[in-house]
């Protein structure tokens, strides 16, 4: 159903999930040879101490891929779509590889995505942190007790058990270098075949950090949810019930 399309290891930057598990969230490794140094060593000019922008007015069917296309030519480290009570709010945060990238991104303010123009404006790193915390349902917000770093992860109360399941699960927060073998090993005792795994990628072949996995049945997929928030490498992986249609759309986008 999903095919066997692979993905190149084009991205070597950390995602929001990795950064939330690291003591110093200012450190990110660039895909370029120069790389970045921790803030304080001159990487980010004072005007954009943390290279993030906020988008508003996005179409409600917007995906990460649409945002990558909107900022084509710029080096994106992370995209966070803002949801409230499970509903997309038409806003997003985008973290870039450096301050110069932010300046270029701001020049795309009020350009169109589909039929809607998108506002692009500066924001504070705290806004981004708070949005990440809300996404994973942390309790409280970042404060001085944590010296500006994210608070310890709290156990999330989820309603995923009440959702309708098919045989498909969506994985999010994967390492960009993940392979199908890694995913099979992650699910351990579950009987998976490589041709039933699709690792999502951008049109340029770079991984998005998401994958779709087809199990033998909806019951098997629901049992596999026991792996939710477990780790592959240094990143914890979120699992969500999905559908064959969503998986096919993701596979189609990867081939564009």
């Amino acid at each position: 159903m999903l095919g066997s399309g692979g993905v190149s290891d084009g991205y070597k930057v950390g995602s929001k999930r990795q950064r939330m598990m690291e003591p110093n969230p200012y450190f990110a490794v660039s895909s370029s040879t120069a790389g970045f140094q921790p803030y304080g060593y001159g990487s980010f000019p004072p005007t954009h101490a943390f290279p993030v922008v906020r988008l508003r007015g996005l179409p409600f069917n917007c995906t990460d891929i649409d945002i990558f296309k909107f900022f084509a030519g710029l080096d994106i480290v992370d995209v966070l779509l803002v949801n409230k009570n499970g509903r997309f709010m038409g806003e997003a945060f985008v973290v870039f590889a450096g301050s110069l990238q932010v300046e270029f991104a701001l020049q795309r303010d009020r350009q169109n995505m589909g039929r809607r123009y998108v506002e692009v404006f500066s924001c504070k790193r705290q806004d981004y942190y708070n949005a990440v915390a809300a996404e994973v349902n942390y309790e409280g917000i970042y404060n001085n007790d944590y010296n500006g770093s994210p608070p310890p992860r709290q156990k999330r109360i989820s309603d995923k058990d009440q959702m309708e399941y098919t045989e498909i699960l969506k994985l999010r927060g994967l390492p960009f270098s993940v392979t199908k073998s890694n995913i099979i090993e992650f699910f351990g005792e579950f009987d998976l075949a490589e041709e039933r795994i699709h690792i999502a990628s951008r049109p340029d072949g770079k991984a998005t950090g998401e994958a779709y996995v087809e199990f033998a049945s909806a019951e098997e997929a629901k049992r596999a949810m026991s792996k939710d928030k477990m780790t592959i490498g240094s990143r914890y992986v979120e699992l969500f019930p999905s559908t064959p249609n969503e998986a096919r759309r993701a596979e189609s986008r990867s081939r564009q």
Side-chain angles (χ1 to χ4, degrees), residues 31 121 128 143 149 175 179 187 243 246:
S31 55
F121 52 95
Y128 167 72
N143 53 49
S149 296
T179 65
F187 283 109
T243 65
E246 183 182 8

Side-chain angles (χ1 to χ4, degrees), residues 151-222:
R153 181 154 60 95
Q154 304 293 326
K155 182 175 178 60
R156 180 162 74 166
I157 299 173
S158 173
D159 61 354
K160 291 178 183 177
D161 286 340
Q162 280 69 53
M163 298 177 69
E164 183 176 349
Y165 280 77
T166 70
E167 66 276 18
I168 308 292
L169 289 184
K170 177 180 178 179
L171 285 64
R172 190 169 70 185
L174 293 165
F176 291 113
S177 59
V178 74
T179 65
K180 293 184 178 183
S181 296
N182 296 148
I183 292 173
I184 290 173
E185 183 179 354
F186 174 74
F187 283 109
E189 69 274 19
F190 295 93
D191 187 17
L192 295 177
E194 286 196 1
E195 62 267 22
R196 300 297 183 180
I197 299 171
H198 172 65
I199 299 174
S201 63
R202 294 163 41 184
D204 62 5
K206 294 181 179 179
T208 66
E210 296 183 349
Y212 294 83
V213 178
E214 182 179 359
F215 291 83
S217 65
E219 291 73 23
E220 280 281 281
K222 190 168 184 177

Side-chain angles (χ1 to χ4, degrees), residues 80-138:
L80 175 64
L81 301 176
V82 178
N83 295 277
K84 185 175 182 181
N85 298 325
R87 182 179 179 184
F88 178 50
M89 302 303 293
E91 298 188 7
F93 291 88
V94 182
V95 181
F96 292 93
S99 297
L100 184 59
Q101 301 280 317
V102 171
E103 295 295 342
F104 287 131
L106 291 172
Q107 293 176 17
R108 303 194 187 185
D109 181 39
R110 297 185 180 273
Q111 291 188 12
N112 278 21
M113 182 182 292
R115 297 183 178 180
R116 305 187 65 167
Y117 74 81
V118 177
E119 295 179 78
V120 183
F121 52 95
S122 299
C123 65
K124 298 177 181 178
R125 78 165 182 242
Q126 190 70 41
D127 298 329
Y128 167 72
Y129 282 167
N130 291 345
V132 174
E135 185 198 24
V136 295
N137 202 13
Y138 279 41

